[in-house]
Amino acid sequence: MDSRAPSPPSAVPERGGRRIPGNRLGRRLLVALVLFSLAASLVSTAVQLAADYRAEVHALRERLEQLRLSYAQSVAQSLWSLDEAPLRIQLEGMTTLPDIVHVQVDSALGTHYAAGAAPGTEHAVVRSIPLNHGPLFLGTLRVSATLEGIHARLRERVLVTLATHAAQTFLIALFVLFVVQRMVTQHLATMAAYTRGLEPAHLDSPLVLRRRVPAPGGGDELDEVCSAINEMRESLRQELGERQRSEAANALLAEAGEVLLTSLEVEKVLPRVASLCVGALADWCVIDLLEDGEMRRVGGAHVDAAKRPLLEELQRRYPPGPGSASPPAHVARQGPPVVEALVTDEKLRAMVVDEAHFQLARALGIQSLLVVPLVAREQRLGAITFVSASPGRYGPAELALARELASRAAIALDNARLYRHAEQAIRLRDVFLAVAAHELRTPLLPLQLRLQSLLRRSRSGAPLEPARLWEEVAAAERQTKQLGQLVDQLLDVSHLSAGHALELRRRRVDLGERVASVLEEMGPRLAASGSEVRRELHGPAVGWWDARRLEQVVMGLLLNALKFGEGRPIDVRVTPGEGTVRLVVRDHGIGMPEDERVRLFERFGRGVPVRHYGGLGLGLYLTRHLVEAHGGTISVESRPGEGSTFTVELPVGEAPGAVG
C-alpha cells in the first residue's frame, strides 16, 4: 500500500451540498464497452455466417458432383438393364444425402422414375446429369437440392454465436467495470474530494491513493496526477508560508517603527524593540551599542519570563568588553552578519569567556544564532543578536528581516544622536555668541572711552598735548588691531566650516624673524602680563610659507601661553632642521589633564572653564589648520600644574610656481 500519510479532506465527493452518484465513469465505460462489443460481435458473426454459407453451398456442390461421379454410372446401368427395383433403391439412397430432396430420372424411352418431394423454386438447386451407356444416351438424372437446411443450420449457429458473445461481452464488461472502479474511478473520486476540500489548514497533509507504491520509474498516469496535485499543494503551502512570513515581518517592522518613533531617546526604546523580536524572530534577543570603541548593552528580552533573570545575569557578569571574541562585538566593529544554523558546544565555547559563561548561555537556550550590525550612513553603531533554542531557525528570509529591522533601528538611533548633536551645537552656538560679544566688547569699550575722551577735550577747547594724543591714537590702534584679529578669526572659521581650504600666499620667510616681529608687537601686552619671554631663535630658519599666517600661528600660541601661564616665564624656541623648522612655545602655568588635551584643537575646544579664562575657543583650532595647511604638524604635552609645551613642525617646502 501507499506509504504516504492519509488525506485530510473527506473521500465522499460532494458538490453544491449534493452527493455525486458513484462510478458514473464506470457505467459510461460499461455501456460503451457493451455497445462496442455487440457491434463487433454482429460484424464478426455476419462475416462468419457469410463464410459458413459459402462453405455449405460449396459442400452441396461437391455432393452433387459426387453424385455424378458415384451414382450416375450405376443408375445408367440399371436403366440399361431395365431393372427398376435397384434403380428406385438408388434414387431413394440419393435422397438421404444432406440437402438432397428430390431425384428424378427421365429415360430416353419416355419413362420417369422419381424419389423424394420436389422443392419449391425459390431456394432450390437443380443439377442435370446425362446417363450414357457407352455411346448410347439413356436419359437424364435430375437431382434437386434445397438451401432451407443450410439456412436453418445458419440460424441456429447465429443464435448460439450471439448468445455466446453476449455472455462473454457481459462478463468482460463486468470485469472491466470492476477493474476500472478499483484502479481508476475510486482514485479519481479521492483526487476530486481532496482537491475540493483543499484548505490552508490541510496543506501540510499530502494526497493519498490507496494503492501499491510503484517501483522507482514505474508509476502510471494516476501516480503522475497524484504527484502533480501534491506538487501544487506544496507550492501553495510554500507560497502561503511566504505570504504569512511576509505579513508577519511587515507587522513586526511596522510595530518596531512605531516604537522607535515614540521617543528620541532611542536607547530607552531599544529594549522594547528587543521585546518585540522575541517570539516573532527569536527566543531571546540582546542589543549592544558601540560608543567610542566600547560595547554597551542597552536592551535584552527573553520569551520565557522564568529565564529573564538569567539574561540579566548574563548582561551583568559578561558584558561585551574590549577585544571580545563574541559575535556581537565582532559584527559591531567590522564583521559581516553572522548566521549560525546550529550552534554546537564547540562553537559556543569559542564565543564565551569561561565555563560559567558557557553554562549560562546553554541555560538560556542557544541552538541557532543570528547577529546583524546597526549601520547608519556607513557608520557602525552596534549590533542586534537574535538567538533561538531551536536549530535551523535562521535562513536568508530571517536574515533579510533582521537586517531591515536593524537598519530602521540604526536610522532612528542615528537621527536621535544627530538631534542631540544639533542641540549641543545650538547650545554651543549660544555660548559662543555670548563669549564673542564679550570678547568683541573688551577692546571696543576702551576704544570708545578713549575716543569719547578725545572728543570731550576737543569740544571743551582744552589744550591737547601731542604726546598724549599720540599715546591715545597708539592705544586705539592696538585695540582696533585686536578687533581685526577677532574678526579675522571668525572669518577663517566660517571659511573652514564651509569646507574651503585656507588661502596661502607663500614666499621666502624666516620664521625666527617672524617670531621676533610678533614678540615686539606684543611687547606691551607681554609686559602687562608679567611673564618673561625667554627666546632661543636659532637661524636662519627659512622656508616657503605665508608670512601673515605664520604670524597668526605664533601669536595664537603666545596668547595661549599668556592666558594660562599665570605670569610665569614663557620659553620660545625656533630650531632649524634638515628639511623642517621646529617652533616650540612652553609656559609654566596651570597645565591640563589628558582628557582635556584630546579636545584642545577642536572648534570651540578649551581646557579650562570659559567663565574664568574667556576666549572664543578658536585660537588653537585655527592654529592647527594653519599649520596643517603648510603641511606641518602641531602637538602638545601638558600636565596639571606643570604647564604646557606646544611643538610645531613645518616643512621648508619649495618655491611655488606662482607666488602671491
Side-chain angles (χ1 to χ4, degrees):
M1 299 298 290
D2 199 327
S3 61
R4 290 169 288 187
S7 303
S10 171
V12 179
E14 295 183 358
R15 179 173 297 177
R18 296 179 298 171
R19 183 183 177 93
I20 299 176
N23 206 14
R24 294 187 301 179
L25 178 63
R27 292 202 305 272
R28 289 198 294 268
L29 183 62
L30 176 62
V31 171
L33 184 62
V34 169
L35 292 177
F36 178 77
S37 297
L38 289 177
S41 297
L42 290 176
V43 172
S44 64
T45 302
V47 172
Q48 184 65 36
L49 287 177
D52 291 348
Y53 179 77
R54 288 196 296 271
E56 291 284 349
V57 172
H58 181 70
L60 178 59
R61 290 174 179 170
E62 287 184 348
R63 284 196 294 273
L64 294 176
E65 181 64 21
Q66 187 65 30
L67 288 176
R68 184 183 69 81
L69 296 175
S70 303
Y71 287 90
Q73 188 62 33
S74 60
V75 170
Q77 185 63 35
S78 298
L79 186 60
W80 173 260
S81 61
L82 299 177
D83 192 353
E84 294 184 2
L87 180 61
R88 294 186 181 279
I89 292 173
Q90 290 175 347
L91 295 179
E92 290 292 339
M94 283 187 286
T95 58
T96 60
L97 296 175
D99 300 322
I100 305 299
V101 296
H102 183 259
V103 180
Q104 179 178 339
V105 175
D106 298 324
S107 67
L109 299 177
T111 58
H112 302 282
Y113 303 94
T121 59
E122 185 176 357
H123 299 291
V125 176
V126 180
R127 179 74 176 273
S128 298
I129 302 172
L131 299 175
N132 298 309
H133 184 73
L136 297 177
F137 175 73
L138 300 180
T140 303
L141 174 65
R142 290 186 175 86
V143 181
S144 299
T146 180
L147 300 179
E148 290 295 336
I150 295 175
H151 292 168
R153 288 192 300 274
L154 292 179
R155 283 194 296 271
E156 292 177 0
R157 197 173 301 165
V158 166
L159 293 177
V160 172
T161 302
L162 290 178
T164 302
H165 284 183
Q168 181 180 3
T169 299
F170 183 72
L171 292 176
I172 292 176
L174 289 179
F175 176 74
V176 170
L177 178 62
F178 173 77
V179 171
V180 170
Q181 169 63 22
R182 291 286 296 176
M183 297 182 63
V184 179
T185 56
Q186 69 170 351
H187 302 310
L188 293 178
T190 300
M191 293 178 187
Y194 177 87
T195 307
R196 192 174 297 112
L198 200 60
E199 297 177 354
H202 298 148
L203 290 178
D204 290 333
S205 300
L207 171 63
V208 172
L209 298 181
R210 299 183 180 277
R211 60 201 308 247
R212 292 183 180 276
V213 179
D220 54 18
E221 288 79 2
L222 288 176
D223 294 309
E224 292 293 330
V225 174
C226 181
S227 297
I229 293 176
N230 281 327
E231 289 173 3
M232 178 191 69
R233 173 197 60 80
E234 182 64 21
S235 176
L236 290 175
R237 187 182 69 81
Q238 292 178 358
E239 182 178 353
L240 182 60
E242 289 294 333
R243 181 176 300 176
Q244 291 174 344
R245 284 192 293 270
S246 176
E247 292 175 354
N250 291 335
L252 175 62
L253 292 175
E255 192 171 1
E258 292 178 0
V259 170
L260 292 170
L261 291 176
T262 56
S263 174
L264 285 173
E265 298 182 6
V266 181
E267 289 86 347
K268 294 183 178 180
V269 300
L270 285 178
R272 294 178 56 190
V273 174
S275 299
L276 290 176
C277 293
V278 297
L281 194 56
D283 291 326
W284 55 283
C285 172
V286 293
I287 302 178
D288 301 295
L289 296 185
L290 185 63
E291 297 177 348
D292 298 327
E294 299 296 331
M295 295 288 291
R296 181 171 64 91
R297 185 154 293 170
V298 296
H302 202 292
V303 70
D304 187 356
K307 293 186 177 181
R308 290 173 187 170
L310 297 177
L311 190 60
E312 295 174 358
E313 181 181 357
L314 177 68
Q315 180 174 345
R316 183 180 66 257
R317 294 180 57 186
Y318 301 101
S324 173
S326 64
H330 178 69
V331 170
R333 289 188 173 92
Q334 59 182 359
V338 172
V339 182
E340 290 288 350
L342 178 61
V343 180
T344 61
D345 289 347
E346 291 75 11
K347 291 181 179 179
L348 183 57
R349 290 186 186 279
M351 303 175 189
V352 299
V353 176
D354 51 27
E355 183 63 23
H357 193 184
F358 173 82
Q359 296 300 333
L360 185 57
R362 274 293 179 222
L364 284 168
I366 176 170
Q367 289 291 320
S368 50
L369 179 70
L370 173 60
V371 186
V372 292
L374 292 167
V375 182
R377 295 185 295 124
E378 299 184 356
Q379 180 182 3
R380 298 205 173 219
L381 308 178
I384 304 181
T385 304
F386 306 92
V387 185
S388 174
S390 303
R393 179 168 182 177
Y394 299 119
E398 289 75 18
L399 175 60
L401 173 58
R403 298 185 76 162
E404 179 62 25
L405 178 64
S407 175
R408 298 190 181 194
I411 291 173
L413 183 63
D414 187 54
N415 289 338
R417 291 183 175 181
L418 290 176
Y419 178 76
R420 287 198 300 270
H421 292 162
E423 284 187 325
Q424 294 173 359
I426 292 173
R427 288 196 298 268
L428 188 60
R429 181 204 62 186
D430 294 339
V431 173
F432 169 74
L433 290 177
V435 173
H438 175 75
E439 292 293 323
L440 290 172
R441 191 182 293 113
T442 298
L444 185 61
L445 184 58
L447 175 62
Q448 186 178 6
L449 292 176
R450 291 180 183 278
L451 292 176
Q452 288 176 353
S453 175
L454 290 174
L455 285 174
R456 282 195 304 268
R457 291 177 68 87
S458 176
R459 289 171 182 171
S460 65
L464 186 62
E465 297 84 359
R468 176 68 183 275
L469 178 61
W470 285 115
E471 180 182 349
E472 294 293 336
V473 170
E477 193 270 340
R478 288 195 302 270
Q479 289 159 351
T480 55
K481 190 171 184 179
Q482 187 177 354
L483 279 174
Q485 291 173 351
L486 292 174
V487 172
D488 287 341
Q489 281 188 345
L490 294 176
L491 291 175
D492 286 339
V493 170
S494 175
H495 202 69
L496 290 172
S497 299
H500 303 299
L502 294 175
E503 182 180 358
L504 299 179
R505 298 179 180 274
R506 295 178 182 267
R507 61 185 179 86
R508 187 177 177 83
V509 177
D510 189 320
L511 181 57
E513 294 178 358
R514 293 296 95 196
V515 172
S517 175
V518 172
L519 289 174
E520 182 181 355
E521 182 180 347
M522 294 181 62
R525 186 178 298 185
L526 293 172
S529 68
S531 295
E532 177 189 1
V533 178
R534 298 180 298 201
R535 66 182 73 182
E536 295 182 24
L537 306 179
H538 303 284
V542 179
W544 291 92
W545 303 308
D546 187 317
R548 187 176 67 87
R549 294 298 191 182
L550 280 188
E551 290 178 356
Q552 284 183 265
V553 170
V554 175
M555 185 171 293
L557 294 177
L558 288 173
L559 289 175
N560 184 78
L562 285 177
K563 183 183 295 185
F564 304 111
E566 295 185 330
R568 298 172 184 173
I570 299 174
D571 298 323
V572 180
R573 184 171 65 254
V574 174
T575 305
E578 186 175 351
T580 62
V581 175
R582 176 178 294 180
L583 168 66
V584 178
V585 178
R586 180 183 180 187
D587 66 76
H588 299 78
I590 61 175
M592 68 190 78
E594 174 68 27
D595 57 343
E596 293 178 353
R597 290 205 309 270
V598 175
R599 303 189 303 272
L600 192 61
F601 294 105
E602 296 179 358
R603 187 172 56 172
F604 309 132
R606 57 181 69 246
V608 294
V610 64
R611 67 177 64 181
H612 296 146
Y613 291 90
L616 298 177
L618 298 175
L620 293 179
Y621 169 75
L622 285 174
T623 298
R624 175 174 67 87
H625 279 281
L626 288 171
V627 171
E628 291 177 350
H630 284 85
T633 60
I634 184 170
S635 61
V636 59
E637 295 180 2
S638 181
R639 291 183 181 179
E642 298 182 6
S644 302
T645 301
F646 290 85
T647 303
V648 175
E649 294 276 355
L650 290 174
V652 297
E654 297 178 357
V659 179

